[in-house]
Every structure is written in structure tokens, then in C-alpha cells.
Amino acid sequence: LAGRPAGAWVAAPLAAALALGTHARNEVWRDPVRLYSDPAAAGPGRSRSLVNAGRELIRQGKLDDAERLLRRALALDPGEVLARAHLGRIAMDRGRPEEAVAWYRDAIAAGCDDPKVPFALGVALKRLGQLEEARRAYGYALAMDPGFTDARVHLALLADAGGDRAGALALLDRTLALDPR
């Protein structure tokens, strides 16, 4: 060590500190919730990071934590449509379809372009017994994505429940033609 340049004495601790910092940052990247809600991600797009963290928490079944992050995302960006949609999913998961309908409608009115949102609205409306509105919501999802097979299947189920067996079968035939799976 005596023959080493003085810079080596400075570089070794610096390299160790950088390695520890890299390890700590890697731990954040391992957990999607920690990554998306990481304060280091603050700044433009922060609301989207919170929405992504909220979505991951919903997937993990941590609805209270998800709701907290999603509401924070809305506070940061009142135009954040996916936060509204995910709050609708939380309401459905909690057995509150009326609240879910309000969130889904709000997301659609705010310009959400994800066909899964009007589809989810249709599911909530169907649970409430509002079948004609559910039919319109499924139809809107199909208008957004004509290949959305779940929406077509749910429309077929509504047609069948309403006594239109021929219409239901036609919808299912069209579904199978578009997606044989």
C-alpha cells in the first residue's frame, strides 16, 4: 500500500460508496411499488408513477394503500384518467358498484381511451341491474376496440338473458371468427 498513489486512497472509499448506492437503488427497482412511488421519481410525470404504483398495489390486494396513492396522483394531476379508473376497480373489489360506476364514468368523461374502462363500467352496471346501460357501455368498449372479445361475449350474455338467443349466438359466432381461442 505504501507504493500506491495517493489517489488510490481516495478512489477506494468513493468506489465503495458508489457500489452501496447502486445496491440501494437496485433494491428499489426490484419492487414495482417502491419504484413507482420512489421520491426520487418526483417531477413531471410523478402522477403517472403513483398510478403505476397504485395499480401494482391493487394487484397485490393492498387496496387502502392503492387508494391513497391514486388519490395523491389525482391531487397532483386532476386530469389523470387512469387514477379514476383504478379507483373504480377498488370500489368494485370492495363490493361498491355504485361508487365504481361514478369513477368509471368520470374516467370516460375525462377522456380515458382504454376500452377496458367502459367494459368495467358495463360490468358494474350489470351488477346493479342496469342492463340497457351495461349494453351501451359494452358497445362503447367494442367501438373503441372492435377486437375486444370480452365485451362481445358480455353483450351476447345480455342478449341471451333478454331472450334474444339468435342475437347472442350471432355475437358469439363473430367473437369466434375474430378470436378462435
Side-chain angles (χ1 to χ4, degrees), residues 50-64:
L50 293 171
V51 169
N52 290 338
R55 184 186 63 230
E56 179 63 22
L57 286 166
I58 290 169
R59 192 186 66 71
Q60 295 175 10
K62 299 175 182 175
L63 301 183
D64 292 337

Side-chain angles (χ1 to χ4, degrees), residues 10 31 40 52 56-57 107 128 136 178:
V10 173
D31 179 2
N52 290 338
E56 179 63 22
L57 286 166
L128 292 170
R136 283 194 297 271
L178 291 171

Side-chain angles (χ1 to χ4, degrees), residues 24-51:
R25 194 72 188 146
N26 285 345
E27 290 304 309
V28 169
W29 279 80
R30 284 186 210 276
D31 179 2
V33 174
R34 283 179 63 197
L35 174 64
Y36 293 131
S37 57
D38 183 18
R46 173 78 171 130
S47 64
R48 182 53 54 97
S49 293
L50 293 171
V51 169

Side-chain angles (χ1 to χ4, degrees), residues 108-135:
I108 293 166
C112 184
D113 61 357
D114 184 346
K116 293 176 189 165
V117 176
F119 174 77
L121 172 62
V123 170
L125 289 164
K126 184 178 177 191
R127 186 174 294 174
L128 292 170
Q130 298 174 17
L131 304 184
E132 189 52 42
E133 286 188 65
R135 186 176 287 111

Side-chain angles (χ1 to χ4, degrees), residues 42-162:
R46 173 78 171 130
S47 64
R48 182 53 54 97
S49 293
L50 293 171
V51 169
N52 290 338
R55 184 186 63 230
E56 179 63 22
L57 286 166
I58 290 169
R59 192 186 66 71
Q60 295 175 10
K62 299 175 182 175
L63 301 183
D64 292 337
D65 294 336
E67 182 176 5
R68 181 179 46 77
L69 287 182
L70 293 167
R71 288 184 182 276
R72 201 160 94 209
L74 277 175
L76 286 172
D77 180 4
E80 180 55 68
V81 296
L82 290 178
R84 291 171 168 81
H86 292 313
L87 286 164
R89 178 170 174 201
I90 289 171
M92 281 298 286
D93 288 351
R94 289 178 171 159
R96 299 192 306 236
E98 299 90 355
E99 183 182 335
V101 164
W103 281 115
Y104 292 140
R105 284 184 172 154
D106 191 33
I108 293 166
C112 184
D113 61 357
D114 184 346
K116 293 176 189 165
V117 176
F119 174 77
L121 172 62
V123 170
L125 289 164
K126 184 178 177 191
R127 186 174 294 174
L128 292 170
Q130 298 174 17
L131 304 184
E132 189 52 42
E133 286 188 65
R135 186 176 287 111
R136 283 194 297 271
Y138 294 142
Y140 183 53
L142 269 177
M144 293 173 85
D145 178 4
F148 193 177
T149 57
D150 286 347
R152 192 170 275 106
V153 168
H154 279 255
L155 277 171
L157 292 171
L158 284 177
D160 187 53

Side-chain angles (χ1 to χ4, degrees), residues 7-17:
W9 290 104
V10 173
L14 180 60

